[in-house]
Amino acid sequence: MSEAPAFLPFAKPNLDQAAIDEVVESLQSGWITTGPKVKKFEAMLQDYCQAPHALALNSGTAGLHCALLALDIKSGDEVITTPMTFAATVNTIAMVGAKPVLIDIDRGTRNLDLNLIEQAITPKTKAIMPVHFAGLPVDCDKLYAIAKKHNLRVIEDGAHAIGAAYKGKRLGSFGDIQMFSFHPNKNMTTGEGGAVITRDQAIAEKITCWRFHGIDREAWNRFGKSGSQNYAVIAPGYKYNMLDIQAALGLHQLPKLDDFIAARTQWVQRYIDVLNDWPEFELPSDVDYQHTHAWHLFQPALTDAAPLQRDTFMQAMKEQGIGTGYHYQAVHAFPYYQETFNYKWGDFPHAEYISDRIVSLPLFPQMQEQEFERIINAMKTVFKK
Ligand SMILES: *Cc1c(COP(=O)(O)O)cnc(C)c1O
């Protein structure tokens, strides 16, 4: 009897030997923490996003937190965002003392429903924090028109979306503040890590200071002694700097990102070709504006025609040796958000529909034809098709 094939995870980082060698080089050089590789990685990000400021951090969450701090968003302020996201989006808003004002999503695209923003704006609203869900850019022209009209800032949670483009422009190459995440499951990784991209020099300077203990070397220089090793602390900052051993991976991931996305797109097209006429699944819908989808996740939603519900489906797939993911439980289901901001299940019907039914199928650039067939066959078995 042949051995059962290995368990297939829903995501797999794609690290080449050059990336591994670069990490080893860092370790052997003795320079492990923030240094020349971070600087080089930031330059590469600036170039990729055609943006003047790219700030590398130790997580995407740190990026959202720093962006909110840099905009001076605090207690008494409100930030409009989506319930269909990872907890970090709303957690960072709560961390600075502000209120996350949730609005429902569009059931087809799963992005926040931009038509609901204006009615959620109050005199306390300071910013909008959209998520480019699964790598699909929100309608940025429409979003920024609303932001401009109401004098609001925009922090784009692009954790899923590095490499995505809106009307021919890469995310990060325009707009206010863009965050990217390099968590191992994301489209490119630095182990853990993240970045903030902006065109606003004042914001870049603030984040540079906040990410490393609130230290401002320029402030010291203002008091003389150029070239001094001294520094000034101008704020009680954080410890959010990226390490050189993390940037070492990024230096070899970013040049391959567009190829990764092209491969992801091909696999998604294969999924769509097969699953389009399966009544058990509702597939994500397309949008009418020109864009490049980063396809971080491919997530059908189980319909009433499916013989089992999402959690049992995931369990059954696991028994078939196939990993799937759940991204995400809508955040207004969580006790903290219910208790602190009075959200309840029932507030956002589209987010709840998707949250209850969505499942992330395996998707990674180096997926093999044989693996794809295993996934489809496993689903046929589970659905008794
Ligand atoms: C992953 C993720 C984050 C946080 O990024 P980290 O790098 O893990 O801190 C934030 N928002 C969304 C939507 C995410 O998926």
Side-chain angles (χ1 to χ4, degrees):
M1 230 180 89
S2 65
E3 263 181 73
F7 186 78
L8 182 71
F10 92 91
K12 253 191 211 179
N14 191 327
L15 295 165
D16 59 15
Q17 192 56 45
I20 294 163
D21 292 345
E22 186 92 32
V23 174
V24 172
E25 202 269 331
S26 241
L27 295 171
Q28 287 173 337
S29 78
W31 197 283
I32 293 167
T33 189
T34 313
K37 291 192 201 297
V38 170
K39 235 189 162 59
K40 197 169 159 192
F41 181 52
E42 289 183 329
M44 209 181 239
L45 279 168
Q46 282 172 20
D47 188 52
Y48 185 80
C49 293
Q50 290 295 299
H53 307 286
L55 301 157
L57 302 160
N58 62 2
S59 75
T61 305
L64 294 177
H65 188 207
C66 283
L68 287 155
L69 290 169
L71 294 180
D72 196 28
I73 291 172
K74 54 186 181 301
S75 177
D77 295 337
E78 295 179 353
V79 178
I80 296 173
T81 189
T82 169
M84 184 43 59
T85 186
F86 181 57
T89 314
V90 278
N91 281 355
T92 51
I93 297 170
M95 274 162 71
V96 300
K99 177 183 179 185
V101 173
L102 304 176
I103 58 173
D104 207 355
I105 59 163
D106 177 280
R107 176 168 144 184
T109 66
R110 292 87 181 260
N111 272 332
L112 84 174
D113 183 347
L114 300 183
N115 296 320
L116 301 176
I117 291 179
E118 288 201 283
Q119 64 203 61
I121 294 173
T122 75
K124 293 177 178 174
T125 310
K126 291 284 151 51
I128 310 169
M129 200 189 273
V131 175
H132 302 291
F133 192 75
L136 173 69
V138 303
D139 189 342
C140 296
D141 284 349
K142 193 166 167 177
L143 171 76
Y144 277 97
I146 298 168
K148 191 170 176 207
K149 180 174 161 197
H150 296 276
N151 201 19
L152 302 175
R153 301 300 298 255
V154 176
I155 301 170
E156 298 178 43
D157 181 337
H160 300 175
I162 188 164
Y166 175 77
K167 296 187 179 170
K169 296 175 292 184
R170 276 193 181 130
L171 296 186
S173 72
F174 63 96
D176 205 356
I177 306 180
Q178 180 74 238
M179 177 280 272
F180 295 126
S181 164
F182 309 129
H183 176 276
N185 282 353
K186 304 286 158 74
N187 282 13
M188 59 167 277
T189 188
T190 58
E192 292 279 0
V196 167
I197 314 291
T198 186
R199 269 149 293 284
D200 186 324
Q201 181 161 349
I203 285 176
E205 282 171 8
K206 282 182 185 159
I207 295 178
T208 302
C209 169
W210 282 108
R211 72 176 166 180
F212 196 69
H213 308 286
I215 287 175
D216 185 338
R217 291 187 191 276
E218 302 300 315
W220 171 262
N221 287 339
R222 251 176 256 141
F223 300 105
K225 290 194 188 163
S226 60
S228 162
Q229 285 305 300
N230 284 308
Y231 56 82
V233 173
I234 60 164
Y238 294 85
K239 186 67 203 288
Y240 283 167
N241 52 305
M242 179 180 274
L243 311 182
D244 262 24
I245 52 176
Q246 294 173 297
L249 295 177
L251 291 174
H252 297 273
Q253 288 273 285
L254 189 55
K256 291 184 145 187
L257 178 64
D258 290 349
D259 289 342
F260 291 164
I261 292 174
R264 287 174 172 277
T265 305
Q266 280 186 357
W267 286 119
V268 167
Q269 195 51 56
R270 295 289 304 282
Y271 273 129
I272 292 173
D273 289 345
V274 175
L275 305 180
N276 226 348
D277 44 36
W278 286 26
E280 294 88 348
F281 282 140
E282 173 179 315
L283 303 187
S285 57
D286 209 347
V287 290
D288 59 9
Y289 44 88
Q290 200 275 328
H291 68 283
T292 303
H293 201 310
W295 285 119
H296 168 50
L297 298 166
F298 179 68
Q299 303 160 287
L302 285 135
T303 66
D304 292 339
L308 65 189
Q309 292 186 331
R310 193 263 323 286
D311 296 352
T312 21
F313 172 82
M314 289 179 70
Q315 185 55 37
M317 288 295 282
K318 197 171 165 190
E319 283 158 17
Q320 297 290 318
I322 309 289
T324 56
Y326 176 19
H327 308 93
Y328 302 90
Q329 165 103 283
V331 294
H332 65 293
F334 296 130
Y336 178 79
Y337 292 95
Q338 298 196 345
E339 287 158 18
T340 313
F341 303 107
N342 288 320
Y343 289 115
K344 58 181 189 312
W345 205 245
D347 287 347
F348 309 107
H350 295 304
E352 288 156 23
Y353 178 93
I354 291 300
S355 174
D356 283 343
R357 294 158 181 270
I358 204 165
V359 60
S360 305
L361 297 182
L363 181 61
F364 44 91
Q366 69 277 36
M367 204 155 93
Q368 300 293 313
E369 182 63 33
Q370 215 183 343
E371 293 174 320
F372 179 77
E373 279 159 24
R374 266 178 68 198
I375 300 159
I376 300 296
N377 288 333
M379 290 195 290
K380 283 183 179 161
T381 305
V382 165
F383 286 154
K384 299 187 170 57
K385 286 174 87 77

